[in-house]
């Protein structure tokens, strides 16, 4: 399993979109490490070919999304956080 890891998109999504398009056939999941959760949710809608995981960052003040999350990738437990 391969992952694309993004962080700190801050409403500037063109670079993230380019990366996700490049890896569309090679990666399975996207991990967005915060700033901003709204960006991660928007990308998730735009790229349903990926499974998304995301956490809040220091600029996600009003988000109800956790600041950390444990995910399992190929039998390995991974802690994601901003």
């Amino acid at each position: 399993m391969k992952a694309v890891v993004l962080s700190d998109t801050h409403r500037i999504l063109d670079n993230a979109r380019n990366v996700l398009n490049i890896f569309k056939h090679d990666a399975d999941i996207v991990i967005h490490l915060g700033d901003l959760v709204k960006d991660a949710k928007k990308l998730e809608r735009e790229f349903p070919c990926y499974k998304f995981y995301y956490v809040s960052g220091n600029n996600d003040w009003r988000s109800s999304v956790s600041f950390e999350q444990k995910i399992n990738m190929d039998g390995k437990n991974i802690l994601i956080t901003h």
Side-chain angles (χ1 to χ4, degrees):
M1 180 180 297
K2 293 182 182 178
V4 175
V5 180
L6 304 171
S7 181
D8 295 281
T9 47
H10 294 280
R11 287 189 220 100
I12 303 168
L13 297 177
D14 287 341
N15 289 337
R17 287 182 182 109
N18 289 338
V19 168
L20 294 177
N21 278 316
I22 289 169
F23 290 101
K24 196 182 307 190
H25 301 291
D26 296 319
D28 308 294
I29 67 171
V30 174
I31 299 170
H32 191 290
L33 298 174
D35 292 349
L36 300 165
V37 168
K38 288 180 183 180
D39 292 351
K41 290 179 178 182
K42 185 171 189 170
L43 292 168
E44 183 176 36
R45 287 189 303 273
E46 292 178 25
F47 292 89
C49 59
Y50 292 107
K51 168 73 175 151
F52 273 73
Y53 298 94
Y54 42 86
V55 292
S56 290
N58 58 301
N59 286 300
D60 288 303
W61 302 296
R62 295 189 179 132
S63 176
S64 61
V65 174
S66 175
F67 286 96
E68 59 184 38
Q69 182 182 164
K70 292 181 200 170
I71 64 172
N72 188 288
M73 189 171 162
D74 287 338
K76 306 286 184 195
N77 291 317
I78 299 170
L79 175 69
I80 63 173
T81 188
H82 184 68

